[in-house]
Amino acid sequence: MPRNFFRRFDRSLFARQPCLLIGALIVIAPAKSAAADDIMVTKTPAIPYAAGSSGYNWSGLYAGGHLGYAWGSSNWTATTPGAPKVSGSFSLAQPIDTFNETGSFFTGLQAGYNYMLPNRVLIGGEVDASFPSFQNLAGLSIGGATNLTSPTLGAETFSETVLASGTVRSRIGYAPGGWLLYATGGFAWTYDQLTLTQLSTGTTESPFLWRLGWAAGAGVEAPVASHWTARLEYLFTDYGRSGTTFFAGAQRFNSDFSVQEIRAGVNYQFGNDALPASALPMVTKAPAAPDLDNVNFHGQTTFVWQGYPAIRSPFEGANSLPRGGQGRQTTDVTLFAGVRLWRGAELWVDPEIDQGFGFANTHGAAGFPSGASFKLGSDYPYARVQRYFIRQTVDLGGETQKVEADINQFAGSQTANHLVLTVGKFSIVDIFDTNKYANNAKTDFLNWSIINAGTFDYAGDGWGFTYGAAAEWYQGRWTVRGGIFDLSATPPGGISPFGSDLDPTFKQFQLVGEIEERHELWGQPGKFKITGFVSRGGAGHFQDAINLAAITGGPTDINAVRAYTSRPGVSVNLEQQVTDTLGVFARAGWSDGNVEPWDFTDIDRTVSGGVSIAGKQWGRPDDTIGIAGVANGISGVHQAFLNAGGLGVLIGDGQLPNPGLEEIIEAYYSYALTASMRVSVDYQLIVNPAYNADRGPANVFSGRFHAQF
């Protein structure tokens, strides 16, 4: 799914997911204070100290986020009427797999209030909610599974996994100097899913269970930047013994459940601006010295609802837009945390909480209408660490340019000519195929094939991120970029359970190159880019799949003909400012239509373009109107493959007797509530969805809320 930061609504959502609403409020709340910080900044880090004291003032409201790892155990007993008991135990720790982002790690949000006594003893309270990683193929996050033999039902598998958890705790501590040492304890809850499968019949039941208990722990916290503190915390939670009855076999499972956690977190401290001037360091209206900007935190939350009414549909396939229409939502909350390592070097870690789905589990159109949805989704919030990378910038001379602090970007300066090296996990479209007017589904257009070239089959997992390395050389009006990246374990077309996981062997890879030219036309800036890629790994040729199905009489299965091969593609990208309120953009691309797409979507040819209009001329300078159109196409053999019943990455109607271009028009209006919060309305008309002239058109209506600080 396209995601870019260098640059999910049904009405019952927040009733079912109240923690997401809390998370949105936590992210939004600091926005006003953050804006104020830009006006008056300090020559030294603005860490507020209590008047007349050498210690940090911990009093006041705070909110933040955390990332951690959990382990524990569960001891269970199974009883069936008239039969002896069966018992056992399992560990709750799941190993972390960095290639599919699963394991017993979690992210979460917290908020609390501290009051510091004159003797620097602190008392306070805190509430938090945590969400585990996306479940692995066994359906586990923080949880475990066991095999057992029932005296009456035979072999079975029993498992339990956490869907969400939280605590309400008090804190007491002591704050010598700038440090806070504290103990904490209180009420704990967890919402779990239990699953029992009878292996002889395949019968599966998956009830949900609330567990209530207590929590206790200790931690250490210290200020690290203006308004920001960082903490390390250990927490033990015990939920006692409870259970549920599986009705298919009249079995009762009871178990205890205890979890241990190590958490690292950050908090934004409110209210310290109100301290008297004598308690604060010297202030100035000049920017803070760049070498003192050693820690950087930003955050964002985005909520998107999309719906479309019933469409014309004489037939449907496994990957079709449902004929009766749908409404879907997605929500995400992200923290962008950075630290300077040495001169020119930065480390960034971006933990995220996601929830929701795209239409038909993100199927039905090659130009999919929501760039805020992923190839995998969940009813319940889950944790991801989408990016963690190191960036090194090397100055090569020329005019010195000021760089403002932003998402995944430190404030400072660099020369016009410079080299940028990026290594780690990130999205390829953070760096390649960027465009000022159409590149960010959180703030501008939503359609996949408008915010990026539809033919740019960039490597990425089911969320659009991958491991790799990129180099960028800026020289005068030119920039040359290149990179090598990890492909998924298999392309996600057909039936590919590992299509959303990255290849742990790195034997399948992608090379990407780009040339960018910067210019002025009639005194207005613009850019032109040429981006090329070649993917190397196990992929199928469409004709081979068609031929094999004709011989065997079986289904057209692309998985059966995959072999090591190459798939290239190239695209062009133009952005041009026309006036200070009007900009235009265009893209066009081609990719090899004989080989199945790897990681993005099912497009072999594309042409798109549009305009972006700022609202200055009607008195709303921070508002934006965007209008764009795109025409997507596929090769003849790709059409034949779909007509024979083949399944692609996102599309597959079971047949394609009357293929046509997939044509999309999108228009949006973004209304700025504040400088850091905006709401948008969006409309998309999708003609011939999935290249199928017998289905559609689809009229897609969207609403979006976005906030960042």
Side-chain angles (χ1 to χ4, degrees):
M1 190 257 11
R3 300 290 301 273
N4 187 344
F5 264 104
F6 285 12
R7 319 191 253 280
R8 254 171 204 276
F9 148 125
D10 62 42
R11 60 186 179 184
S12 64
L13 168 68
F14 290 125
R16 292 184 290 110
Q17 307 294 348
C19 293
L20 286 179
L21 178 57
I22 294 171
L25 293 175
I26 288 174
V27 171
I28 294 165
K32 183 175 180 180
S33 295
D37 291 344
D38 293 336
I39 300 172
M40 298 292 286
V41 295
T42 64
K43 288 185 176 179
T44 57
I47 298 175
Y49 287 80
S53 170
S54 61
Y56 182 78
N57 181 13
W58 291 92
S59 292
L61 182 68
Y62 64 90
H66 57 266
L67 171 67
Y69 181 78
W71 69 97
S73 63
S74 179
N75 301 296
W76 56 268
T77 300
T79 59
T80 306
K85 291 182 179 180
V86 180
S87 61
S89 65
F90 51 73
S91 170
L92 304 180
Q94 296 295 318
I96 294 178
D97 188 331
T98 58
F99 292 92
N100 59 20
E101 284 286 323
T102 60
S104 61
F105 71 89
F106 59 92
T107 63
L109 305 162
Q110 71 269 349
Y113 187 86
N114 293 323
Y115 181 75
M116 193 171 68
L117 301 173
N119 60 0
R120 302 200 58 78
V121 171
L122 178 141
I123 57 175
E126 180 172 303
V127 58
D128 67 59
S130 299
F131 307 99
S133 66
F134 196 83
Q135 295 179 7
N136 60 24
L137 291 176
L140 301 175
S141 53
I142 301 170
T146 187
N147 295 320
L148 66 143
T149 301
S150 166
T152 58
L153 300 172
E156 297 177 306
T157 298
F158 169 66
S159 67
E160 180 172 359
T161 195
V162 172
L163 299 176
S165 63
T167 66
V168 179
R169 294 177 279 132
S170 61
R171 297 206 302 172
I172 183 167
Y174 180 67
W179 292 86
L180 172 64
L181 308 174
Y182 65 89
T184 182
F187 168 79
W189 61 269
T190 183
Y191 187 58
D192 299 354
Q193 184 172 30
L194 288 68
T195 302
L196 182 67
T197 301
Q198 300 176 25
L199 300 182
S200 60
T201 64
T203 301
T204 297
E205 292 181 83
S206 297
F208 302 97
L209 178 66
W210 285 96
R211 292 183 181 270
L212 306 180
W214 57 270
V220 58
E221 191 166 358
V224 293
S226 175
H227 294 285
W228 289 94
T229 64
R231 65 161 63 166
L232 183 66
E233 183 178 73
Y234 166 82
L235 201 65
F236 176 85
T237 55
D238 191 306
Y239 300 99
R241 190 169 185 84
S242 59
T244 189
T245 299
F246 294 88
F247 293 101
Q251 279 184 292
R252 173 76 183 183
F253 275 77
N254 288 307
S255 61
D256 57 27
F257 202 86
S258 61
V259 181
Q260 299 183 68
E261 300 175 355
I262 287 290
R263 301 178 173 191
V266 295
N267 287 313
Y268 184 91
Q269 308 286 331
F270 298 91
N272 285 318
D273 294 339
L275 290 175
S278 61
L280 295 171
M282 182 174 61
V283 297
T284 176
K285 291 186 178 181
D291 60 347
L292 296 178
D293 183 20
N294 293 322
V295 179
N296 183 300
F297 299 101
H298 287 273
Q300 74 83 35
T301 185
T302 303
F303 170 81
V304 176
W305 176 88
Q306 287 194 322
Y308 70 95
I311 62 173
R312 178 173 59 97
S313 177
F315 55 87
E316 287 187 10
N319 288 356
S320 294
L321 284 176
R323 61 169 59 90
Q326 277 192 347
R328 290 291 183 264
Q329 58 76 215
T330 55
T331 307
D332 55 69
V333 180
T334 315
L335 173 69
F336 308 90
V339 60
R340 291 188 188 271
L341 300 178
W342 53 81
R343 182 176 178 83
E346 309 161 14
L347 169 65
W348 290 94
V349 180
D350 298 354
E352 184 168 289
I353 300 171
D354 296 318
Q355 182 273 334
F357 294 88
F359 296 142
N361 296 326
T362 315
H363 293 100
F368 196 76
S370 177
S373 64
F374 308 110
K375 293 190 178 80
L376 298 176
S378 173
D379 284 324
Y380 300 93
Y382 59 91
R384 303 281 296 179
V385 184
Q386 302 288 35
R387 298 179 181 87
Y388 36 96
F389 62 88
I390 293 175
R391 183 195 299 126
Q392 174 74 62
T393 302
V394 181
D395 288 341
L396 300 177
E399 181 182 354
T400 298
Q401 303 170 333
K402 182 181 178 181
V403 179
E404 300 289 347
D406 203 348
I407 286 176
N408 285 341
Q409 178 176 292
F410 276 95
S413 62
Q414 63 188 23
T415 59
N417 302 326
H418 58 279
L419 179 68
V420 181
L421 306 174
T422 307
V423 179
K425 184 183 180 184
F426 51 95
S427 178
I428 292 176
V429 292
D430 289 342
I431 297 175
F432 298 86
D433 193 39
T434 62
N435 191 291
K436 177 180 179 180
Y437 304 110
N439 211 188
N440 189 349
K442 298 187 182 303
T443 58
D444 51 65
F445 295 95
L446 281 165
N447 193 277
W448 288 28
S449 58
I450 293 178
I451 59 177
N452 288 110
T455 55
F456 185 19
D457 187 20
Y458 62 88
D461 58 16
W463 290 260
F465 299 86
T466 187
Y467 292 101
E472 304 172 78
W473 178 25
Y474 292 78
Q475 186 71 34
R477 57 188 283 201
W478 298 92
T479 299
V480 178
R481 301 182 176 94
I484 183 169
F485 304 96
D486 192 25
L487 286 167
S488 347
T490 63
I495 307 300
S496 301
F498 298 102
S500 294
D501 302 345
L502 295 174
D503 179 10
T505 70
F506 287 91
K507 292 179 180 178
Q508 302 182 118
F509 61 91
Q510 182 178 79
L511 300 174
V512 184
E514 184 172 86
I515 298 175
E516 173 186 307
E517 180 268 342
R518 294 177 292 279
H519 59 263
E520 285 191 359
L521 287 179
W522 307 290
Q524 299 292 340
K527 296 179 183 179
F528 180 75
K529 304 177 184 183
I530 302 175
T531 307
F533 73 89
V534 59
S535 300
R536 290 282 292 162
H541 285 69
F542 294 123
Q543 191 61 58
D544 291 344
I546 296 170
N547 294 343
L548 181 62
I551 294 171
T552 64
T556 307
D557 183 10
I558 197 73
N559 304 300
V561 296
R562 285 176 176 154
Y564 205 81
T565 189
S566 296
R567 185 173 191 265
V570 64
S571 60
V572 295
N573 177 345
L574 170 70
E575 64 177 70
Q576 180 63 55
Q577 183 171 304
V578 179
T579 69
D580 61 348
T581 61
L582 175 65
V584 298
F585 66 93
R587 287 185 175 99
W590 168 93
S591 59
D592 189 344
N594 297 306
V595 183
E596 65 173 324
W598 219 292
D599 279 331
F600 187 38
T601 189
D602 310 86
I603 300 175
D604 302 330
R605 317 283 185 268
T606 188
V607 176
S608 66
V611 299
S612 178
I613 307 167
K616 181 179 179 180
Q617 51 193 309
W618 60 89
R620 297 286 306 174
D622 294 325
D623 291 6
T624 307
I625 291 176
I627 304 171
V630 60
N632 300 318
I634 52 176
S635 66
V637 68
H638 199 163
Q639 293 175 358
F641 169 78
L642 294 173
N643 191 41
L647 298 177
V649 179
L650 302 186
I651 64 175
D653 293 333
Q655 55 182 299
L656 190 61
N658 297 300
L661 291 176
E662 185 181 74
E663 299 170 324
I664 304 168
I665 296 174
E666 179 176 4
Y668 75 88
Y669 187 98
S670 175
Y671 182 89
L673 298 173
T674 69
S676 57
M677 287 190 292
R678 57 187 62 238
V679 294
S680 305
V681 291
D682 183 284
Y683 169 74
Q684 297 176 57
L685 174 64
I686 306 178
V687 179
N688 303 332
Y691 311 106
N692 195 334
D694 294 316
R695 304 185 78 245
N699 294 278
V700 181
F701 302 90
S702 307
R704 174 177 59 196
F705 171 81
H706 173 71
Q708 71 181 58
F709 69 93

